[in-house]
Amino acid sequence: MGFFSVVRKFFGAGPEPAQAPPSKPDEATQGPAPSASPVDATRLTVLLREAEPRLSAWLAIVLDGVEESGPLLEERIGLLLRALEVPEAEVEAFVGDFSAWLVRMEYSRVEDFRSELQYRLALALDLEDEEDERSRLFLKVREGLARTRETFSRGLDALLAGSGELDAKFWEGLEELFITSDLGYDASMALVERLRARARKEGIRQASGIREALCAELESVFTVPRRVSAINPPEVVLMIGVNGAGKTTTIAKLAHRARMQGKKVMIAAGDTFRAAAVEQLQVWAERVGALFHAKGHGAEPASVAYEAVERALAEGVDILFVDTAGRLQTKVNLMEELKKIRQVLGRKHPGAPHRSVLVLDATTGQNALSQAKLFKDAAGVDELILTKLDGTAKGGVIVAVAMAHRIPITYVGLGEKLEDLRPFDGRDYARALLGEEMPRGDKA
Ligand SMILES: Nc1nc2c(ncn2[C@@H]2O[C@H](COP(=O)(O)OP(=O)(O)O)[C@@H](O)[C@H]2O)c(=O)[nH]1
Ligand SMILES: [Mg+2]
């Protein structure tokens, strides 16, 4: 079948039949042998030693010739992990976990899960900050921002091409560009003001010099002072936001990250309003291998939260995610409910919730801005996660939110898969928005 049979036909007998025992004439069409031979293992080990020290290079070596899940894949992943001196028990846990996940997700072709495998390895090996992973992340952010960039970056190019001096007409054009890129009126005005001040200070007179200044200004918009992050375990994370923003999916993605980093994770189903919401969360908990706490449809959310934190304390959980409902129609009730959840969490476990995370749907554009205000005033927000940046042209709203609220943006959602949640990096984001090709530090 496929590639192999074509090659064989072209080259006639080739070397393979000579090696294959005559009693198994079908073997050539069944792909690689189920297990790497010792010769193979030695060869791969040598290749790994010689390779550039990058996860993608290592993965390319061990996945060479592996097209499907199964024993060969497991052996190859094991080979890589052992070569990196990962303790045997962890190698087995990682491989077992990954294989079970492939079965649950019904994945069999390597090309369908290769990127997920690399993401898991990066997290498990603590290599996420490695240059290689950074460029992958940058590409993903860049790709996710494609539609936003279309309006923003192209508009900027046109404006720059049509302008010489930084005159009133230029600044007006820039304001307009910001507004059409979903920054909103206030943020657009403020950003232009900041840019004008920077241009004056740095002596930039020509429009062509504004690109770098804009990049720097955007980066500073995203830079928020660091907070103390000391945690008395279990760390309790409260997820809030309106219906459909992506809270449940984001919990699954965060839980997945924490699991890959070796943490014991629990998820509590605090959205008891819809029966389907509890089930959806349970499915995710099983997929990522997290403990799950629910009381069923219609239960009091605060009591779910209370019992979950009690259980998390008793069972030595490292991190507990509490899902909540997000019915905005009953705004007052929702905010009261959130306050009550916060109170019971703190009563049971001082300091909890350690993080109150507001999930915002980037596709809602300016609406995200008013949601941020509402939740911040009523419930308290420690960090923001923007979802659905993939495929929206309204990604510019992130600038408006950052400018208006000075709340750190910690992650962005770039798709529906578990690996599609990535740490937010203001500088990379600014660069991606401006259409640059490489992440910071990777400048050719
Ligand atoms: N494309 C895309 N879809 C997302 C993202 N995050 C969540 N979703 C989808 O948005 C929908 C609502 O998500 P859900 O987690 O149920 O929202 P909740 O009501 O806030 O819990 C689901 O179909 C998700 O798959 C993202 O980053 N990108
Ligand atoms: Mg939900």
Side-chain angles (χ1 to χ4, degrees), residues 247-248 271 274 277 280 323:
K247 289 180 297 298
T248 303
D271 180 359
R274 293 175 304 137
Q280 181 199 5
D323 196 13

Side-chain angles (χ1 to χ4, degrees), residues 169-321:
K169 194 168 144 268
F170 172 81
W171 295 117
E172 262 167 43
L174 199 60
E175 261 167 37
E176 214 177 292
L177 174 66
F178 288 162
I179 291 171
T180 51
S181 305
D182 256 85
L183 264 71
Y185 183 81
D186 293 341
S188 298
M189 294 300 146
L191 189 57
V192 165
E193 251 341 288
R194 287 169 67 155
L195 260 176
R196 290 183 83 143
R198 185 182 280 267
R200 260 197 309 274
K201 205 172 120 214
E202 295 180 1
I204 302 169
R205 295 216 172 73
Q206 297 295 314
S208 55
I210 215 71
R211 191 177 265 278
E212 267 310 303
L214 178 56
C215 199
E217 204 53 59
L218 283 175
E219 189 192 347
S220 83
V221 163
F222 293 131
T223 311
V224 177
R226 278 183 71 95
R227 292 173 47 238
V228 168
S229 59
I231 300 284
N232 48 328
E235 177 174 7
V236 178
V237 182
L238 184 66
M239 300 293 278
I240 60 180
V242 303
N243 252 347
K247 289 180 297 298
T248 303
T249 317
T250 303
I251 285 180
K253 292 170 176 173
L254 286 170
H256 180 56
R257 287 181 65 87
R259 285 277 303 120
M260 288 304 109
Q261 289 163 337
K263 291 184 182 155
K264 184 165 177 181
V265 181
M266 184 183 283
I267 299 175
D271 180 359
T272 57
F273 187 64
R274 293 175 304 137
V278 179
E279 283 157 29
Q280 181 199 5
L281 198 59
Q282 180 159 21
V283 169
W284 278 120
E286 280 164 15
R287 276 190 200 157
V288 304
L291 298 167
F292 181 68
H293 190 84
K295 272 185 93 172
H297 171 218
E300 175 93 35
S303 87
V304 175
Y306 187 85
E307 286 175 17
V309 79
E310 194 168 44
R311 204 181 132 194
L313 279 160
E315 296 185 23
V317 163
D318 296 304
I319 185 163
L320 166 68
F321 294 97

Side-chain angles (χ1 to χ4, degrees), residues 60-92:
I61 290 166
V62 297
L63 291 184
D64 183 37
V66 187
E67 269 151 40
E68 300 207 320
S69 55
L72 180 64
L73 174 77
E74 292 183 6
E75 192 159 325
R76 294 291 186 84
I77 298 172
L79 181 91
L80 172 61
L81 292 174
R82 284 182 196 104
L84 289 165
E85 291 170 356
V86 173
E88 193 53 36
E90 285 172 38
V91 172
E92 270 158 35

Side-chain angles (χ1 to χ4, degrees), residues 341-364:
I341 293 174
R342 291 180 68 101
Q343 274 166 12
V344 302
L345 287 172
R347 208 178 305 142
K348 186 75 212 168
H349 183 40
H354 302 86
R355 291 155 59 199
S356 183
V357 181
L358 175 61
V359 179
L360 294 171
D361 175 347
T363 63
T364 60

Side-chain angles (χ1 to χ4, degrees), residues 18-39:
Q19 282 174 359
S23 57
K24 287 192 201 163
D26 277 340
E27 197 169 63
T29 59
Q30 286 175 352
S35 149
S37 67
V39 178

